[in-house]
Amino acid sequence: MRRILLLVLTVLTTASFSQESLDLSYYLPNDVTYNPNIPTPKNVIGHEVGEWHITHDKLVQYMYELAESSDRITIENRGKTFEDRPLLLLTITSPENHQNIATVKENHLNATKTDNANTDRPIVVYQGFSIHGNEPSGSNAALAVAYYLAAAQGPKINELLKNTVILFDPSFNPDGLQRFAYWANTNRSQNLNPDPNDREYSEVWPGGRTNHYWFDMNRDWLPVQLPESRARIKTFHDWMPNILTDHHEMGTNSSFFFQPGIPSRTHPLTPQMNQDLTKQIATYHAKAFDKIGSLYYSEESFDDFYYGKGSTFPDINGGIGILFEQASSRGHIQESDNGLLTFPFTIRNQFTAALSTLEAANAMREDILSYQANFFKNARNEAKKEGNKAIVFGDEKDAARTYHMAEILNRHKIKFHEIENDFEVDGKRFKKGYSFIVPKNQNNTRLINAMFEKRTTFQDSLFYDISAWSFPLAFNLDYTETTTAKAGKVVSDLQFKTGGVSSKSDYGYLVEWHEYYTPKFLYALLDKGIRARVSQKQFKANGKSYDYGTIMIPAQNQDKSASEVYTILNDLAKESHLTVDAVSTGLNDGIDLGSNNFRPLELPKIALLVGDGMTSYDAGEIWHLLDTRFDIPVTKLDTKNFSRADISRYNTIIMVNGSGLDEGNTKKLQSWIQNGGTLIGYRRALNYLNSKKLLKLEFKKPKIVAKNISREEASDFRGAQVIGGAIFEAKLDRSHPINFGYKNDRLPMFRNTTLFVKPDKNSYNNPIQYTENPLLSGYISKQNLDSISKTVPLKLGNYGRGNIVAFTDNTNFRAFWYGTNRLLMNAIFFREDL
């Protein structure tokens, strides 16, 4: 009966689409003619659009062929992914505009910097496809859209190209797209099978959604930590597009979504006119979808709050971001509540939305150009009222973290200065070379506000993504308001601090643990067979104070000569951007260099559990951190191979958020810990550790009772109890090895779980503890806020000769939480002293 109903629905919704009858006309409008000299996708890639999932190499091949054959298109490669795939951008406009493209761009950018809106110019539309690799209908639609823009002929297309510059990004995520295309194509049957139980519709871990290091790149528009993001953000700021479209997919049983989303979930810094224009653009989508008979909806889900997504980043930069979400076939054809959902049908909807966007842009051109000009005019007026106000940020002990936050500002074309001289304000010391000043009076002052703000009050209690992302908190940097009177020269060439050894010593060397890249330095040192020790106490040497966690390297009793040790240290210090101090005596004010309070260090040998049962995002963030920043090798140990793996090779195993291991593998893990191994667990791994009696945890459960809540409101009530992503203040015991390298006794910590762990009765067993009123930024319900007070985000325990380190939340969130990366590195390097 269900199959009969599905077939009936198929006739109604997809016009009994037949794979055998598929050709390009299924997608293309018939109100124009097409230039026969422009190659169709099939001419180049060998199959019709939607017949197979496009692989990235074929997508690239076709885009180059189009650029070669059409005077409407130029193409550029803006860089490479981690897997060395090109990051293409096509610029599509009329041949006349191409001949004057530099002037077109200059006129467009001038309207964002002056009070002259000058609406007699082309509108700029950035069209981007499939930032999630397993949401491929966007990039597959890009084949047909690019063909249409190159080959369509007649007054309609001529007017569109005259009035529009299209920045065309056919694949936001080349690595993920390739991975998913391989999966869908290798599992495709000759007789297409719509059964959702078929292997085609169930990817193996980690799936094709993410990039090489398993990042969700649609969260990286603001932090800009990944090469794909850096390419598109450079394009964005080089052009400042008026509209940016972001083509996604959602659940198979849905229809098609276009923005605006839920009005109450828009960030307060986004002007109302942005949402009004988005709603007006939506009428063009509705008209286009009505014409082809496709179902759709708007204003019922998703939001415009976090500015790190493709559909919201333009909103704080004077543009209009538009999210498209198409119900996903997740393969070639699949049963759904709306009938048989075919891959070509999903492509046609994405194609339709791409063209309706361009139609709206052309029709609303003057209004949208005026909106962008007024956005920046109003922003400049707001900035002028700030006068000489500025924000200073930095860390007098860590130039690298300061550099990396400044690097983000640089990528967003935010102007900042060196500080003229060292100064202190609000009990915070800002050191020249370790601090920068950001004037508030500049063109993109609204973006500055979005990056630095701390917000704890909200119109809505539901968030599609995080509710807080304040960058100085994420980087754990000192910051405060100041004035430009303390500013030095504008930073035009941002550079890392130069590292090195102060002088050659025949006795020993000291390096403080504060700098971000000291773990990279220490691993390389130990890997070269050079012995090192870590200080458990503070001391003074040569008149300088050294903090907890200072690394001491003896010049003697090494396998290498004193000269070789010096050369190695000097090279590694330069590579890691830190200073190594030479000492000539072991006699100090405080502990001496031969004291047992300098503990020997062992080379970390790390395995990271990946595969079924583990969250790929969290695993990828750790893999990326160790591999790309600290040059520390890590074995990705798949859970399916755990039972036969020789885990005695490792002294550290990291278990990210997930369900843990089965009974047999748990016993193997227990034995490994008892024999001296260190297990580091995150998030839901704590439930596993507690249930298997590896670590005793006492959870604090909030009392949440729904009063005066109707059935209609129940879902929102439950959603409001979720901590989607907020920032909380914790107090540190700086003498504890888990906190070595932190100069302050307060630490901003990100969390998005409701795992509230009660503290130990002995205070020294609570090296990190949330303060009484810990909320710094973001949303949390009152019940959860009461529950988190005075709980601990970290629990430590011994098990036999080994130990367990358990974090309630991800300390390496999305690669931009530089401020808490050190906690993982301390757990790895100082594991025997925890």
Side-chain angles (χ1 to χ4, degrees), residues 413-694:
K413 296 193 175 182
I414 293 172
K415 181 176 70 173
F416 55 94
H417 299 247
E418 296 178 357
I419 64 172
E420 188 70 42
N421 297 294
D422 298 357
F423 67 93
E424 191 170 321
V425 60
D426 297 335
K428 302 167 185 174
R429 186 168 179 266
F430 297 96
K431 183 179 176 182
K432 187 172 182 178
Y434 291 72
S435 306
F436 297 108
I437 284 180
V438 185
K440 287 191 171 183
N441 187 1
Q442 51 182 300
N443 202 49
N444 46 11
T445 186
R446 289 176 172 175
L447 179 58
I448 294 170
N449 290 338
M451 294 177 73
F452 281 85
E453 75 165 5
K454 292 195 296 184
R455 183 179 296 274
T456 56
T457 57
F458 302 89
Q459 183 181 355
D460 203 308
S461 58
L462 298 180
F463 300 87
Y464 185 71
D465 202 78
I466 58 176
S467 61
W469 55 87
S470 178
F471 280 85
L473 296 180
F475 278 77
N476 185 34
L477 293 173
D478 293 331
Y479 75 112
T480 191
E481 294 225 345
T482 185
T483 68
T484 53
K486 297 184 182 295
K489 64 180 182 180
V490 173
V491 178
S492 57
D493 184 21
L494 182 65
Q495 296 289 335
F496 266 120
K497 172 191 158 188
T498 302
V501 180
S502 61
S503 63
K504 182 178 178 298
S505 171
D506 290 325
Y507 193 87
Y509 302 88
L510 297 172
V511 56
E512 287 199 280
W513 191 245
H514 294 292
E515 280 284 356
Y516 185 77
Y517 287 105
T518 44
K520 176 181 178 179
F521 167 86
L522 181 56
Y523 182 88
L525 196 69
L526 296 173
D527 192 43
K528 291 180 182 296
I530 294 178
R531 293 183 297 103
R533 291 174 172 262
V534 59
S535 168
Q536 304 293 300
K537 293 189 176 183
Q538 297 169 318
F539 62 96
K540 286 185 179 180
N542 291 342
K544 177 180 176 179
S545 296
Y546 288 89
D547 209 345
Y548 303 106
T550 295
I551 306 301
M552 187 270 288
I553 305 102
Q556 304 299 324
N557 294 329
Q558 301 279 9
D559 290 338
K560 296 172 175 58
S561 69
S563 294
E564 288 176 314
V565 170
Y566 166 74
T567 299
I568 290 171
L569 287 179
N570 198 40
D571 290 344
L572 294 180
K574 289 178 180 178
E575 291 172 13
S576 302
H577 318 290
L578 52 86
T579 299
V580 177
D581 298 327
V583 291
S584 58
T585 177
L587 187 63
N588 294 328
D589 182 359
I591 59 172
D592 297 325
L593 297 190
S595 167
N596 286 334
N597 281 298
F598 279 94
R599 307 278 293 174
L601 292 166
E602 181 184 18
L603 180 70
K605 297 174 183 177
I606 308 166
L608 172 66
L609 292 180
V610 301
D612 292 342
M614 302 296 150
T615 300
S616 60
Y617 293 169
D618 295 36
E621 286 156 3
I622 291 174
W623 176 25
H624 173 268
L625 176 73
L626 296 173
D627 192 35
T628 70
R629 292 192 186 158
F630 297 135
D631 290 339
I632 297 175
V634 54
T635 296
K636 300 184 296 299
L637 182 56
D638 201 299
T639 53
K640 72 175 184 288
N641 299 325
F642 190 85
S643 62
R644 58 180 179 268
D646 176 12
I647 61 174
S648 66
R649 297 166 59 96
Y650 317 109
N651 52 35
T652 305
I653 293 178
I654 303 172
M655 179 183 288
V656 297
N657 182 55
S659 56
L661 300 172
D662 62 26
E663 199 63 37
N665 284 327
T666 295
K667 289 180 180 178
K668 182 175 181 177
L669 183 65
Q670 286 174 324
S671 177
W672 174 83
I673 300 171
Q674 285 175 323
N675 288 325
T678 296
L679 177 68
I680 303 171
Y682 285 94
R683 307 213 294 162
R684 282 192 295 127
L686 272 66
N687 293 326
Y688 164 78
L689 295 172
N690 190 51
S691 67
K692 300 301 181 184
K693 297 182 171 52
L694 289 167

Side-chain angles (χ1 to χ4, degrees), residues 334-353:
Q334 192 175 166
E335 296 171 5
S336 82
D337 289 348
N338 294 312
L340 290 178
L341 182 62
T342 70
F343 186 42
F345 179 78
T346 69
I347 294 171
R348 185 175 67 161
N349 281 346
Q350 299 279 25
F351 175 91
T352 300

Side-chain angles (χ1 to χ4, degrees), residues 220 223-227 229-230 408 475 624 629 814-816 818:
D220 195 42
V224 206
Q225 295 300 301
L226 306 169
S229 308
R230 291 172 180 179
I408 296 174
F475 278 77
H624 173 268
R629 292 192 186 158
R814 291 183 182 167
F816 79 98
Y818 281 76

Side-chain angles (χ1 to χ4, degrees), residues 68-198:
E68 180 69 25
S69 61
S70 173
D71 59 359
R72 300 171 179 178
I73 300 176
T74 59
I75 192 168
E76 61 180 302
N77 178 6
R78 299 168 295 170
K80 297 187 297 185
T81 69
F82 283 115
E83 295 177 11
D84 285 342
R85 291 190 174 86
L87 296 166
L88 298 186
L89 182 77
L90 284 68
T91 302
I92 306 175
T93 188
S94 68
E96 295 75 21
N97 285 339
H98 268 302
Q99 291 170 9
N100 302 288
I101 199 69
T103 301
V104 170
K105 181 193 284 189
E106 182 181 6
N107 290 340
H108 181 75
L109 293 176
N110 283 341
T112 69
K113 300 172 184 176
T114 68
D115 290 349
N116 180 14
N118 179 23
T119 57
D120 185 22
R121 55 189 168 88
I123 190 171
V124 179
V125 180
Y126 192 128
Q127 293 193 295
F129 300 89
S130 297
I131 202 164
H132 298 141
N134 63 357
E135 299 178 4
S137 56
S139 285
N140 282 267
L143 292 163
V145 177
Y147 171 77
Y148 172 83
L149 294 173
Q153 298 179 126
K156 178 181 176 181
I157 188 69
N158 291 339
E159 180 192 5
L160 172 67
L161 294 175
K162 175 186 175 183
N163 291 331
T164 314
V165 173
I166 303 160
L167 306 174
F168 195 85
D169 195 331
S171 174
F172 275 145
N173 181 3
D175 295 347
L177 183 74
Q178 187 80 9
R179 192 159 66 243
F180 183 73
Y182 162 80
W183 178 263
N185 290 337
T186 55
N187 286 285
R188 177 187 185 271
S189 299
Q190 182 173 321
N191 297 295
L192 299 185
N193 186 354
D195 184 348
N197 293 320
D198 190 84

Side-chain angles (χ1 to χ4, degrees), residues 686-740:
L686 272 66
N687 293 326
Y688 164 78
L689 295 172
N690 190 51
S691 67
K692 300 301 181 184
K693 297 182 171 52
L694 289 167
L695 182 66
K696 185 178 180 181
L697 295 163
E698 190 177 356
F699 295 105
K700 187 176 180 182
K701 301 288 186 181
K703 294 180 180 178
I704 298 174
V705 179
K707 295 182 178 179
N708 301 316
I709 300 295
S710 68
R711 184 176 184 275
E712 182 181 6
E713 299 166 325
S715 178
D716 286 355
F717 173 79
R718 290 191 298 269
Q721 308 311 317
V722 172
I723 303 176
I727 305 172
F728 300 88
E729 181 185 62
K731 183 178 181 179
L732 305 183
D733 172 1
R734 292 182 56 246
S735 70
H736 196 286
I738 199 70
N739 296 323
F740 284 177

